[in-house]
Amino acid sequence: MNNKTQYYGEKTKARQLRREMTDAEIVLWKYLRNRATGYKFRRQHPVGPYVLDFYCYELNLCIELDGSTHNSPMADVHDTIRTEYLNRQGITVLRYSNDAVRRNVGGILMSIERFAENPVLMEGWHKDEMVGEGTENDLP
């Protein structure tokens, strides 16, 4: 498979994933779309061999939402390899569980804002660790 074929395949996969977003992705997208955070996010955006849940070019920031399929040792290995690839591209990866989106979307938005204040490459992936104490009541 050449690069054009691979890119076309990822682009097609991204389109399909946009049509089949998870409940958590739909909730977070409601707050990320139309520059609601002050930054343009794309959903299901292809980067190399991967399709990112949400990507902000201005911040070099990837937001990944993890469901129950990410709770296995093999998923950890895959996520680590994927994150190392993205870090080499200069992209920081913030991961949040689907449960964190349901419980505390306000805290997730606060953590994205904190990153945006100082958008430097944070190597590795950061799962739920930056979620603040915000609640849905704190939403704009």
Side-chain angles (χ1 to χ4, degrees):
M1 178 184 310
N2 66 33
N3 285 344
K4 279 189 175 183
T5 306
Q6 180 179 349
Y7 178 73
Y8 179 76
E10 294 306 322
K11 214 170 153 180
T12 301
K13 181 179 176 185
R15 283 188 190 119
Q16 177 185 356
L17 290 171
R18 276 186 221 114
R19 286 190 299 268
E20 300 171 2
M21 291 174 66
T22 66
D23 291 343
E25 288 171 340
I26 291 168
V27 167
L28 188 57
W29 180 239
K30 181 172 80 171
Y31 296 103
L32 295 179
R33 67 185 300 173
N34 298 326
R35 293 186 177 265
T37 59
Y39 297 93
K40 179 175 177 60
F41 278 87
R42 299 174 181 148
R43 62 190 170 124
Q44 306 303 337
H45 180 72
V47 172
Y50 302 106
V51 178
L52 313 182
D53 288 343
F54 302 101
Y55 176 67
C56 177
Y57 177 79
E58 297 166 82
L59 299 173
N60 273 338
L61 177 63
C62 166
I63 306 292
E64 289 292 310
L65 300 183
D66 295 343
S68 59
T69 60
H70 289 267
N71 295 336
S72 74
M74 282 308 296
D76 261 358
V77 170
H78 173 74
D79 289 343
T80 299
I81 291 168
R82 173 187 172 111
T83 298
E84 288 172 354
Y85 172 85
L86 294 171
N87 288 166
R88 285 192 305 274
Q89 309 309 308
I91 299 170
T92 294
V93 178
L94 300 181
R95 291 186 170 281
Y96 303 101
S97 66
N98 286 347
D99 189 49
V101 173
R102 286 187 285 273
R103 286 183 294 107
N104 192 3
V105 72
I108 290 171
L109 294 172
M110 285 172 41
S111 72
I112 294 168
E113 287 174 19
R114 278 196 305 272
F115 177 82
E117 290 170 4
N118 187 25
V120 296
L121 176 63
M122 295 168 41
E123 291 191 17
W125 46 273
H126 308 275
K127 186 168 184 166
D128 292 341
E129 69 190 45
M130 295 179 63
V131 176
E133 295 301 316
T135 64
E136 289 202 35
N137 297 333
D138 297 334
L139 296 175

